[in-house]
Amino acid sequence: MNQATSPFKIAAIQMVSTPQVEENFSTARKLVAEAAQQGAQLVLLPEYWPIMGWQDSDKVTIAESLGAGPIQRFMAGLAKEHNIHLIGGTLPLISQESGKVLNATLVYGPGGEQLSHYDKIHLFSFNKGEESYDEARTISYGKDVTTFNAPCGKVGLSVCYDLRFPELYRAMGDCSLIVMPAAFTYTTGKAHWEILLRARAIENQCYVLAAAQGGKHPNGRRTWGHSMLIDPWGEIKMVLPEGEGVVSGEIDADYMRQVRENLPALRHRKL
């Protein structure tokens, strides 16, 4: 594993994003600054942080080309200003499919340079009573499993519904940290969010950092929240149930190595 001397401080930002991009910029700016003041060296924004529109198609209207646009400039500037690794939750990038976007995670280094890019692979759909979602109507499927190297080691990128597909995380290989920006619905989050996050940490014997949308949005949607940091033994180190705020903690490489030595499950894999 490529790891720096521990501990390495990380943070997740929880938001209740609105249909107004500039309003969300203001919230993200404030919370990322708060995380940096707490000593965070890597900060994760939630899924859909720049916009939770009145309707799903609103994100198509603000989609950017990769490498250009106000949302990307904003994230690069934040990373550089605070000298951090910033994992930008998701933003809409222009897709080759008409009327759709890629739900993309972009990673920026402390100098504001783009380090990595992941397009969400698994697209959420859910129907129960009056609750109905189908992301594939406005989002194109991503294709590539993506990781990048940070001072804490290899970081695996995933988004929201990806959490239900453990084979994705096995394909990432040996990670020190898995990140999960999300906008889980209240219904599915209450039932499955914590148990799935803890399972991914336990089975991969690594840290999991989850940054969620958490509250009642102007468009009427309610998201589950409960941003959290989980250690390689599956213990929740910090959690924020609802509302805006910061969840922070440390990656302890020595502790992760000890967990893997005590229970060498990763070495015992046969498939």
Side-chain angles (χ1 to χ4, degrees):
M1 283 183 298
N2 174 27
Q3 292 175 339
T5 302
S6 59
F8 180 81
K9 191 147 190 182
I10 60 178
I13 304 302
Q14 185 160 289
M15 294 175 60
V16 187
S17 292
T18 75
Q20 305 301 321
V21 174
E22 288 297 331
E23 188 176 334
N24 298 323
F25 277 7
S26 178
T27 300
R29 184 181 292 112
K30 176 186 69 174
L31 293 173
V32 169
E34 183 180 328
Q37 289 165 5
Q38 294 176 12
Q41 298 157 271
L42 180 150
V43 179
L44 174 67
L45 289 165
E47 185 182 28
Y48 298 138
W49 74 267
I51 187 169
M52 289 282 280
W54 295 110
Q55 51 195 2
D56 288 345
S57 59
D58 286 356
K59 60 181 172 287
V60 180
T61 66
I62 67 160
E64 299 181 355
S65 298
L66 181 62
I71 300 172
Q72 292 169 81
R73 287 194 296 270
F74 175 82
M75 290 190 293
L78 271 186
K80 187 173 183 179
E81 176 185 354
H82 296 292
N83 193 35
I84 58 173
H85 282 78
L86 181 69
I87 304 176
T90 66
L91 80 157
L93 291 182
I94 293 171
S95 167
Q96 292 181 347
E97 294 185 272
S98 177
K100 294 188 178 184
V101 300
L102 291 160
N103 194 17
T105 298
L106 300 183
V107 181
Y108 296 89
E113 69 281 14
Q114 186 193 311
L115 299 179
S116 192
H117 167 207
Y118 167 68
D119 296 324
K120 183 178 180 181
I121 292 174
H122 300 97
L123 301 182
F124 178 62
S125 65
F126 179 73
N127 288 282
K128 185 177 181 181
E130 296 182 357
E131 226 179 335
S132 179
Y133 305 95
D134 184 3
E135 288 187 326
R137 284 198 298 255
T138 54
I139 299 175
S140 298
Y141 288 91
K143 298 176 182 177
D144 298 324
V145 178
T146 306
T147 65
F148 74 96
N149 290 318
C152 60
K154 187 161 74 170
V155 179
L157 300 176
S158 62
V159 176
C160 201
Y161 193 48
D162 284 335
L163 185 60
R164 295 182 182 272
F165 301 88
E167 62 272 19
L168 171 66
Y169 301 93
R170 290 303 200 201
M172 292 174 180
D174 182 4
C175 291
S176 299
L177 173 66
I178 288 168
V179 296
M180 171 49 58
F184 254 60
T185 70
Y186 186 89
T187 302
T188 60
K190 184 177 181 180
H192 301 145
W193 172 247
E194 179 186 319
I195 195 168
L196 287 170
L197 286 169
R198 295 181 69 193
R200 298 297 84 85
I202 292 165
E203 68 198 9
N204 294 289
Q205 296 185 314
C206 70
Y207 286 86
V208 171
L209 182 67
Q213 295 282 350
K216 188 69 176 290
H217 301 266
N219 64 8
R221 181 171 174 177
R222 187 179 181 188
T223 45
W224 175 240
H226 291 78
S227 296
M228 63 180 75
L229 173 63
I230 304 167
D231 75 15
W233 193 245
E235 180 180 348
I236 297 171
K237 308 305 291 183
M238 185 177 180
V239 62
L240 176 62
E242 283 192 301
E244 298 172 352
V246 176
V247 168
S248 63
E250 295 176 344
I251 290 181
D252 186 334
D254 293 334
Y255 176 71
M256 182 163 56
R257 279 192 292 268
Q258 190 63 57
V259 167
R260 293 178 176 190
E261 288 173 9
N262 293 345
L263 180 62
L266 296 178
R267 295 204 303 270
H268 291 162
R269 287 179 59 206
K270 300 299 183 186
L271 298 175

